[in-house]
Amino acid sequence: RALEASLTRQAVVLPRMKDTDAVGIMREGELISIAVLRFEAGALVERIPYRIDQQPAPIEDLIESFLLQFYGRSPIPAVLLLPRQLPPDPRALSQVLGGMCRHAVQVRQPTRGPEASAVKMAMQNAELLLREALATDEAHEQVLARLASLLGIPVPRGRIEAYDMSTFQADATVGAMVVFVRGRPEKRSYRTFA
């Protein structure tokens, strides 16, 4: 019963019936994590995580451009909840988002109550995403160091390209290249060669 009560309290955070998104953002160095929590009829229905690498821009500049790009492809809620320090002008963001859809959008920066709790939950989600990303990055660095050791090279390589040449019945030769950057596949750099 205690577990069910706890889950119920977590699931229904907002008393209002309007669709609401709460945004949390955290940064460590040039790594930024963003969590968007979607509430429908007061219930948390979705958590959307984002990770942005190598971003030196200030968070204040980044959050506005992120929100405009995000809501360019996602449904725009009636209420958008942001941390207190972001963005510099919520009214301007409200007008821009309202112009992108057919309803008014309220951008709020709550300091207390259920809406502030939703923003706090979004910030905690963003912090968790950031910690997971940092742990994953550390694991990738260890794998790259081990690979460098196996290959007998002094420093792990930032970019690794692997090639494969294939033929079909001694005809129709095709080459393929896959690319890994810092231990992660970079699919936009994959190539095939005739």
Side-chain angles (χ1 to χ4, degrees):
R1 283 190 205 129
L3 199 60
E4 285 176 352
S6 174
L7 291 174
T8 301
R9 279 198 303 273
Q10 288 182 357
V12 181
V13 173
L14 302 176
R16 82 178 61 252
M17 299 302 285
K18 293 180 180 178
D19 289 348
T20 303
D21 284 3
V23 178
I25 184 166
M26 295 297 282
R27 163 181 234 141
E28 186 156 321
E30 292 188 348
L31 177 63
I32 296 173
S33 67
I34 300 172
V36 179
L37 303 182
R38 302 205 105 152
F39 295 88
E40 293 178 5
L44 177 62
V45 294
E46 186 176 17
R47 178 186 87 144
I48 307 166
Y50 283 92
R51 172 186 168 149
I52 303 172
D53 289 311
Q54 299 176 352
Q55 182 54 254
I59 286 183
E60 297 80 21
D61 297 339
L62 177 73
I63 192 68
E64 286 184 356
S65 63
F66 168 80
L67 290 171
L68 294 176
Q69 289 178 18
F70 177 75
Y71 289 117
R73 347 178 259 284
S74 295
I76 301 174
V79 179
L80 177 61
L81 305 175
L82 298 174
R84 191 75 190 137
Q85 68 274 18
L86 303 173
D89 186 5
R91 288 175 299 210
L93 182 60
S94 177
Q95 290 176 346
V96 171
L97 291 175
M100 293 169 61
C101 62
R102 293 191 169 120
H103 59 79
V105 178
Q106 296 176 8
V107 177
R108 295 189 189 147
Q109 297 170 306
T111 56
R112 59 183 181 206
E115 290 182 346
S117 296
V119 172
K120 182 179 177 184
M121 187 187 304
M123 292 295 285
Q124 290 169 342
N125 274 263
E127 183 176 9
L128 179 63
L129 290 167
L130 184 66
R131 299 293 155 232
E132 288 173 356
L134 291 170
T136 301
D137 287 350
E138 187 176 318
H140 277 102
E141 292 299 321
Q142 290 174 355
V143 168
L144 288 174
R146 176 77 175 124
L147 179 62
S149 172
L150 288 171
L151 295 174
I153 56 178
V155 179
R157 300 296 178 207
R159 179 180 171 101
I160 298 172
E161 297 178 1
Y163 294 87
D164 180 44
M165 300 299 295
S166 300
T167 59
F168 180 70
Q169 296 180 351
D171 208 11
T173 303
V174 176
M177 174 185 74
V178 295
V179 178
F180 289 80
V181 175
R182 304 296 314 152
R184 290 190 175 89
E186 187 176 283
K187 295 188 177 187
R188 68 175 185 237
S189 296
Y190 286 15
R191 300 286 183 268
T192 56
F193 308 99

